[in-house]
Amino acid sequence: MSTITNITSVTFRPANLSDIALLQYWDQQPHVIAAHPNDQWNWRVELKQSPAWRKMLIAEDGGRPIGFVQIIDPAKEESRYWGDITGGFRALDIWIGEESDLGQGYGTVMMEQILALCFEDTSVIGVLVDPLADNTRSHRFYERFGFQFAERRQFGRDDCFVYLLSRDDWMKRTVIPDSGK
Ligand SMILES: CC(C)(COP(=O)(O)OP(=O)(O)OC[C@H]1O[C@@H](n2cnc3c(N)ncnc32)[C@H](O)[C@@H]1OP(=O)(O)O)[C@@H](O)C(=O)NCCC(=O)NCCS
């Protein structure tokens, strides 16, 4: 059942070196480990770099950090994580830091804003996510935004479901009905 919430907006700022301790603490939370059991983010290295193909953002509620989002251009990402992929896509990673903040509506508000940011770039035709195959709650979360299952794919040791939100499906959700005036 979805949570009824009063949360209407969160703000985003670039993650920076002063966030290392916070991000490392979030990395140790069981729900974050469960979603990314084989990922080891080297924040000290990553946060020193700001390549044009990546945004690392901290979401805040009234100045309190509540979550993290990474947006990449998978065609330009240097490790070629997404393999051979054409331009025009964005790929996301998202998590809420504190377990007590899960299921309060933060993720929904964050995703709405992040998807709007991605599609603001008119060259973007689709947004990708790759949750673990067994992370069924996150599948439901993404499906609510119109993401469609694309394929089951192995990324390193991770058995993942790839989901795609096309610009068309995003537009269908965000279209404002004509008031008739
Ligand atoms: C996925 C996630 C960002 C959603 O944010 P949220 O603030 O918890 O979500 P909301 O309160 O806006 O919406 C609730 C929905 O989020 C999903 N959700 C809630 N807790 C979750 C959890 N521990 N793990 C995965 N999805 C979860 C469910 O779909 C839930 O709906 P439901 O109650 O009908 O099952 C957040 O739960 C999270 O950080 N989960 C752990 C990391 C993760 O799974 N990231 C995504 C895969 S890479």
Side-chain angles (χ1 to χ4, degrees), residues 85-173:
I85 183 166
T86 59
F89 292 94
R90 294 292 177 267
L92 302 181
D93 289 291
I94 179 170
W95 58 85
I96 301 292
E98 292 282 358
E99 190 173 4
S100 56
D101 284 328
L102 291 170
Q104 306 293 314
Y106 282 121
T108 300
V109 174
M110 285 165 65
M111 276 299 279
E112 291 287 0
Q113 292 181 223
I114 290 298
L115 291 172
L117 180 68
C118 291
F119 285 115
E120 203 176 85
D121 180 338
T122 52
S123 71
V124 171
I125 57 170
V127 174
L128 293 158
V129 291
D130 60 334
L132 290 176
D134 64 6
N135 191 350
T136 51
R137 290 194 76 187
S138 76
H139 303 165
R140 201 157 59 226
F141 175 76
Y142 292 128
E143 283 161 9
R144 287 198 191 108
F145 294 92
F147 279 88
Q148 309 256 3
F149 175 80
E151 61 170 337
R152 187 169 188 159
R153 182 166 166 187
Q154 195 75 24
F155 288 98
R157 281 180 289 163
D158 292 335
D159 177 20
C160 296
F161 277 11
V162 173
Y163 277 89
L164 171 67
L165 178 64
S166 68
R167 176 177 285 277
D168 282 354
D169 285 342
W170 179 72
M171 295 281 283
K172 276 183 215 151
R173 280 191 69 251

Side-chain angles (χ1 to χ4, degrees), residues 22-36:
L22 175 71
L23 289 162
Q24 287 174 339
Y25 164 73
W26 285 352
D27 282 349
Q28 292 158 18
Q29 303 314 300
H31 66 281
V32 177
I33 294 172
H36 313 101

Side-chain angles (χ1 to χ4, degrees), residues 30-51:
H31 66 281
V32 177
I33 294 172
H36 313 101
N38 300 310
D39 283 1
Q40 264 143 15
W41 296 60
N42 189 338
W43 298 112
R44 210 167 290 283
V45 173
E46 299 296 342
L47 292 172
K48 277 190 190 143
Q49 302 159 359
S50 43

